[in-house]
Every structure is written in structure tokens, then in C-alpha cells.
Amino acid sequence: MDGASAAAASSGCDYDESQPQKEIPTLVDASSAPSTSNTNPSPESSIVPSLEEECYTSGFNDDSMQGIEKQLAPFVGSKEPLSALAAEFKSGSPIMQEKIKLLGEKYTALRRTRGDGNCFFRSFMFSYLEHILVTQDSREKDRVMFEIERCRLDLLTLGYTEFTYEDFFNTFTELLENCIPGTEASLSLTDLLGKACDQMISNCAVMFLRFVTSAALQKRAEFFEPFVIGPSHKSVVEFCKLSVEPMGEESEHVHIIALCEALGVPIRVVYLNARSSGDPENPNAPNHHDFFPYDQNNGSDSPDAANVSTDLSKQEKPALQENPAPFVTLLYRPGHYDILYPM
Amino acid sequence: MTSSSVPSRKVLSKIASNRLQKEVMEWQTNPPAGFKYKVNDSLQRWIIEVTGAPGTLYTGETYQLQVDFPEHYPMEAPQVIFIPPAPLHPHIYSNGHICLDILYDSWSPAMTVSSVCISILSMLSSSPAKERPADNDRYVRNCRNGRSPKETRWWFHDDKV
């Protein structure tokens, strides 16, 4: 929904003048009597659905302050020293300040992404492509291209119409190819940042990642089912339709696991929150969690269709237990992902 | 102040027009049952005729859907409304606005005009009664400036109809 509203904001949606005149909000009515008939004459005032049959709430979408802020933040920002984060929290809790200090012992910089519900995917997209561009690791590029082609086939097998995803795949693979010189249009880091901030290109690349994540979830639906089924989702397919495929839907652990699995790219998430690390020696050390494609995590004791095509990558990967630190490192603060740069 | 009544007539992006051309071709080879695309020269606005499915409350009735595509389709949802007179349905307002999650928050580029049509027909087919939403008059009054349904903050709660 964030994506949709951000998009609406950028196409000049106005919300105030055309609004029926605002009346004094009667929030109390709406929330205390959620199932009675709504006699409130101003749809603007209720933020809670108040009537069984009523389909809409609160009048109309307005991109108020939140929307404006979103518009100002670039999709992907410039690299900032970690001190920028310290400055942001300088009046925050002492635990957070301590954690940021400790974070500074391992990480040098961060790059912010827009908080529009796509931040996990967008951070991953940029971080991964930047890694390829900086390291010129063409073996990794070839490996991931192979996985991408497999994802295309997975979507086809799952019954998706090819034209619904091919443009997004092509956008991403073109970016990827252009990160390694020798191709028609090789990119500089500045070019890559420009692409990642271009609404069309950036959103298409995010959509590509949403498609591959959705495919990975559906492919191993039995495995993911217990993690996604709940009051709001009846099945993995429904979860994908409602919480993976629409732009602006925020990511949870299960999205990260599935994306990591789909592309075979390990991801490190560093958590920055006011909680203790659980380490008595170092209670304020920021936690991190490494997501590895599952076939590398635990040996090959659970052979699965997803393993088949990773033979190529296995030859190149060091033995288990010696998983190198993932090169995609994201900083998680409750509700948001940014990109983090290790020493 | 921009008027919301006229959906943004910005030229379709390259991706949008490529995609729509593929959707037209797909529709021509494999049209969804119960729908007729009324050919016109605009890729950006489709008029589609819907016929109520046999054995439902709307058997044999025909209605017209108007589908407008935004510049950044399919990243953004199309605007889909019934051209009044709209079918009497608990989730369809008399001004043609349709309360259906996939047209708003749950839209994704994985959907197509065809899949949207099928969802709308299925919504019609499962209707228990031919009636307007309880808040029809108030909603329609608030839309009187020709507001787009995409600006409504919809609340989806009923998965039975």
C-alpha cells in the first residue's frame, strides 16, 4: 500500500481542496461501536471500519506528511558514514547509542533506502548489484543468471503468464549484465545509483525480486506453510498474492528466507533495536542473523528440487561450516531496512 | 487543482504500452468467458462488456466495465469501474465504483485485465442479494466531483461475496 500511495503522490494526487469539508472527527464513535450503523456524516473522520457492509473507510487516500516525506527521500541514498546514524540517535536511548557505537567497530557506512514498504527488496537489489560492480565477480554474476533463468521457468510452471513478469526480469538482468564491463553499456557506481533512483527502473527491479520471492515460496509451499498461515492468510498462494507480489508490502523473515533461497545469495541482517543481545559479556552488541540458502546451511540432507540446479554453485562454494560472511549486509531497525557496509 | 474525474491522461510509459499490447493479443486469443472487449482505438481505455453468468442473480444481464490504464501500468493498478447503470451488488456502488481489494491495495503486476475481469465476475456470481452497499448514498455523494475510486481508502473485510 505504501508503494501505491507513493505512486499516487508522484502523479500529483491532491487531497485537500477537493475534500468534502472536514467535520470534527468522531473517532470515539467509530471505534467504540465498531459494528453499529455509522451515522457519522464525514467519511474523513473515521479510521476504523464501522459497519459490516461498509467497504471503505476514512474517505479518501491522502498523502499527508508521511507521503511528502516519502517523496523527498530518494529510493536509494548516498553512502553515509556511520556517524550519521549516531547523530540521528544522539538524543535517543543510551542503549541505542551504545549499540551504534559497537556497530561502528564492524561497519563503516550505511546507505539509506526509502521507507515505502519496498525497502528490503530495494536494499537487497542495490547492495547485490553494487557488490557485483565493485568486485567484478563475473562467476557470481553467471551463477545468479543461471538461478534467474530457473526462476523464470518456475513462474511458468506455477502458471504465471509470461508477459506479467518478463519485463521485470529483463530490467534486472540488464542491470546485472551492465555491472560487468565488456557488455554494451557498462555502469559506473554513479550510474548504478542513478538507475536505482529512477522510479521505473528501480520499481521494476523490486518487482523482479518480488516475483522470484513469490516463486520460491510457492515452490516449497509445504515448508513455508506453517510460517505464513494465520488469520490473514489461508495459504502460501494467498500470502504471495497479498503480501509478496503487491508493491509496498513490507517484508518479514519469510520473504528474506525465500529470496535468499531463490537466488542463492546469502544475506546478513544486523538488528538495531533497544533490546539486549542476550550476550552477558556484551549485552549491547548488535545482533545479526545470516540467511543462507538452505541447502548450504545444513548439508545436503534434504534434497529438494531447489538443490538440483545449484550444483554449479556448490563447486565454487567453500565447504559447509565455512560459509563466508554474506556480502549483502542490511541494517534492520524496527520497520525498516537500509544497506550496511562492513569494514 | 487537478480534477480526479478524468484519470491522468499522461501518455503510457513504454513498459505500459508494451504490456498492454501483449494483453490485447492475449485477450484476442484467449478471452475470459463472459466478457467482450469492445474494440476502440485507445489502448489506454478499454470498454468491456460483462454478461452475468448462468445460474446466478445476474444471468443474462449485461454491464459495461471501463478500464483506464495509468502511465505506470502495470506497476500501478488500472482504474476499473462499471459504467452506470452498475449491477446491484453489496460491493458495487451506484456510481460504478467497485469495492474489490485487487483493484487497490492488493493489485500487483502479476495480474492482468483478464484476471481482474474473472475476479469481478466471480464477485458478481457469489452475490447473495441484489442490493446496494448500505452506505451507498453517502459514498456516492462524497464522490460527486467524479472522484476516482483509487482515491478511496477502501477497507476490505468480506471474503464471502
Side-chain angles (χ1 to χ4, degrees), chain A residues 1 4 7-8 10-15 17-21 38 40-44 46-62 160-161 163-168 171 199-200 203-205 207 211 234 241-242 245-247 249, chain B residues 1-4 8 10 13 15-16 18-19 22-23 26 71-76 90-91 93 99 101-102 104-112 131 133-135 138-145 147-160:
Chain A
M1 77 215 253
S10 65
S11 61
C13 133
D14 58 354
Y15 50 90
E17 293 117 314
S18 57
Q19 207 55 254
Q21 88 274 13
N38 188 352
N40 167 8
S42 164
E44 182 65 13
S46 65
I47 54 163
V48 200
S50 54
L51 182 65
E52 257 323 280
E53 289 79 24
E54 190 174 26
C55 281
Y56 69 99
T57 176
S58 180
F60 302 98
N61 283 322
D62 53 14
Y160 283 71
T161 308
F163 69 67
T164 60
Y165 57 83
E166 63 186 1
D167 291 336
F168 307 116
T171 300
Q199 184 187 331
M200 202 63 207
N203 284 345
C204 285
M207 203 50 225
F211 268 111
K234 289 195 287 285
K241 297 279 169 251
L242 297 177
E245 291 170 9
M247 285 294 281
E249 284 297 320
Chain B
M1 191 174 80
T2 55
S3 161
S4 312
S8 132
K10 280 191 179 167
S13 67
I15 287 197
N18 281 343
R19 163 76 176 245
K22 290 176 205 160
E23 295 216 29
E26 167 74 13
E71 180 190 4
H72 293 298
Y73 180 80
M75 208 54 90
E76 291 169 30
H91 292 174
Y93 292 86
C99 176
D101 61 350
I102 57 156
Y104 313 104
D105 290 1
S106 302
W107 164 260
S108 92
M111 296 169 197
T112 62
E131 58 187 26
D135 57 335
R138 186 163 62 87
Y139 177 77
V140 171
R141 204 162 53 239
N142 283 318
C143 291
R144 65 185 176 281
N145 294 329
R147 199 179 274 280
S148 161
K150 288 173 75 181
E151 290 169 48
T152 302
R153 196 173 301 143
W154 297 97
W155 184 271
F156 309 102
H157 50 80
D158 185 354
D159 54 8
K160 291 184 288 296

